[in-house]
Amino acid sequence: MTTPENHQPSTKKPKLNKGIRVVLFMILATIVVITACEIAGWPFLRAPVEKFLKTKLERVVSLDAPFKLHLLGGVKLEIGGLYIAAPDGFDAPYLVDAKNIALALRYSDLIQFKSAEAFRIKSLQVDSIDAKLIRHADGHATWQFKPDDSPSNPIPIIETLIVKNGAAQFDDPITQSALSMSFNTNEGSADNTPTSLVIVKGKFRQKPLNGKINTDGFLPIATQDASSPAVATTLWLDYGGIHADFKGAASDLFGRQDIKGSYNIKGASLGILGDLIDTPLPTTDPFKLSGNIEKDDVVWLIKVASATVGRSSLSGNFRYDPKPAKPILSGTLSGSQFYLADLAPAFGSKNEDGSQSKKRDGHAIPDRPIDLPSLNKLDAQIKVDLTYLELGNAFNHPISPFKADLSIDNGKLTLSEIDAKTADGSLSGLISVDAHADNTALATQPIAPVIPKWKIDLVWKNINLEKWLKVSEERKQEAKEKGKKNTPPAYVTGQLNGKTNLSGTGNSTAQLLGSLDGDIAMVIQNGSISHLIIEVLGLDIAQGLGMLIRGDESLPMQCAVIDLKATKGLVEPTVAMIDTPVTLVLIDGNLSLAKESLNLRLTAKPKNMSPLTARSPIHVTGTFSDPKASPEGGPIAARILGGLALAIINPFAAILPFIDTGDSSAVSPCKQSLTNLKSVK
């Protein structure tokens, strides 16, 4: 029996359990293998990853060597190249071909990632990348993969992005685009100032396009965070003859897409700008625009500080809201001066690109189609407030002011509530064109072409012709050369009243005028007419020469009445006469707006005697582009009877409502003249 004093502790070490030794060996082996794989870059995973991507994307995918994957401290992947094939049926070498790619991810981002959120990438660097983005007319595109009914994930957030040499080709018949792009960016790294550049060239909607965008990096504007900081952005763009510059800031490119800055645009025609932004704008003379633009979420606010179109100077403030099913444009169009002649290109005198349109041989009226169906692209409510509307060289006074409401509603453009003042008189009424496209037809039926319907309903009151009509510079110069101190009298004076009530159809000026139906009625009261005009119309040699010798003088007009009836473009006078104390001038015949032909007869019936009178009705024939005037031959008796026959026409159609003496007890000269004319039957 041993005692505690005699007990000696064992110096032999205990042996580990065999199972524990195996576990430890496996752990050690795993560490060694992982370390070896980590050092080698897990090259054997290259083939499985390729196979996984090929199955997922349903097309050929290859990852070029060197393939290096590192998992310690985060996921780091380096590959020599990435190739993703284009799907069958596309004439494209690939969808993506990229070289020397380096990707870095954090485990914390992988663990916290939720499918509804944007995936965060620590860094992405690419030496070169080329993409072929091609879509066919049936909608199939190279970038389409296996259909997925799940909601699409937001664009990933990249903290550091470096693309040394990027390129892309974008061909899309749906948007009529054939563009090539080059880009590079270096942003997010602490030792670099963020810079990004995109250069675009090619064709868009059949017109050449070139542009360049510089930003202080793409990353801040791609965060999909409405509170992300705005990034300084400059842009220039050439498109089909227009040049645009923008300087400002952009943010949240893949979210709200907010933009704010200033712009300058110039070009051959506003119609080209409208084509670029898919908004109906008229064909015009050369233009320049400058102002500020702001996009807050989806609504655009556009301030046009200065706009010159031809000789016109305009400005305005507009709001464009694309949220409704049909976008809405609202605002105010103002202007210090607007020249009516600057509207001529919109009605066919120029092509959409601003070049001069060719007229048909022997025709004067433009027949270039007007893009009226594009009015169906949006609705609009715009207040027009022009300080000064210049009518042309023949007019001494402009319309000042000119106010109206311009609206576009379901393809119908209306200029209503017209309120215009000129030469002590006024102009009111409306002008409309209905180009509504019927979208209710069955899909199996062809869409019928839109045939615009026009309506012109205007009234003018108490316009002082002496103030309104300008004495030509030639007449002024002629009077000056003859030593006359006073300005020659106006050809016509008096108060002009009248109305126009016309309708027609067509998508060009020629078609519209060739289809006109309706009435035009005009009355001049308390006026005068150049004596020389009357004598020339009567071919009175003696009195005509007398006027040339002693100068022109004015004859009082008892009445001047024109009542025209239009039927399918054929315009005929119901009554047309000028009544003075010495001569009654009657006009009959017709003119065809469809054929642009003239067939008018002017007959002067003298009330006095002249020894050398050779009065004969004058025929005006030919075309608008080549009119001809000649005296009528034949017996004097036949000429007299022909003149009297004009009096059979009923002269009371639409004229009398405009004959107002202002005094119910006074006898109107025009009423008296019309009564006398009717009694000559």
Side-chain angles (χ1 to χ4, degrees), residues 1 5 11 30 44 83-84 91 115 227 253 261 269 313 348 482 501 514 534-535 541 628 635:
M1 181 175 182
E5 291 81 2
T11 58
T30 301
F44 55 86
Y83 174 92
I84 303 176
D91 185 17
S115 60
S227 62
L253 182 63
S269 170
S313 296
K482 292 181 179 180
N501 188 354
I534 297 299
E535 296 304 330
I541 298 172
K628 295 179 175 61

Side-chain angles (χ1 to χ4, degrees), residues 111-145:
I111 295 172
Q112 297 172 7
F113 173 67
K114 297 179 181 179
S115 60
E117 298 177 351
F119 183 59
R120 186 173 291 273
I121 297 174
K122 181 180 179 181
S123 71
L124 176 62
Q125 299 184 40
V126 181
D127 275 1
S128 68
I129 183 172
D130 186 18
K132 305 297 183 184
L133 308 174
I134 300 173
R135 180 163 58 180
H136 287 167
D138 61 5
H140 289 88
T142 56
W143 60 85
Q144 287 180 326
F145 298 100

Side-chain angles (χ1 to χ4, degrees), residues 182-205:
S182 60
F183 55 92
N184 60 73
T185 184
N186 187 349
E187 48 187 318
S189 54
D191 57 344
N192 286 299
T193 302
T195 58
S196 298
L197 171 67
V198 177
I199 298 175
V200 182
K201 60 177 59 178
K203 281 193 173 183
F204 179 65
R205 293 180 182 159

Side-chain angles (χ1 to χ4, degrees), residues 218-235:
F218 292 141
L219 296 179
I221 61 178
T223 59
Q224 293 176 279
D225 182 357
S227 62
S228 63
V231 173
T233 303
T234 59
L235 173 152

Side-chain angles (χ1 to χ4, degrees), residues 133-182:
L133 308 174
I134 300 173
R135 180 163 58 180
H136 287 167
D138 61 5
H140 289 88
T142 56
W143 60 85
Q144 287 180 326
F145 298 100
K146 183 178 180 180
D148 187 356
D149 295 332
S150 62
S152 59
N153 293 330
I155 298 295
I157 297 173
I158 305 173
E159 296 179 5
T160 299
L161 175 64
I162 299 175
V163 178
K164 295 181 180 180
N165 185 14
Q169 176 186 345
F170 182 65
D171 290 337
D172 180 20
I174 296 178
T175 59
Q176 300 181 58
S177 303
L179 303 171
S180 61
M181 293 167 277
S182 60

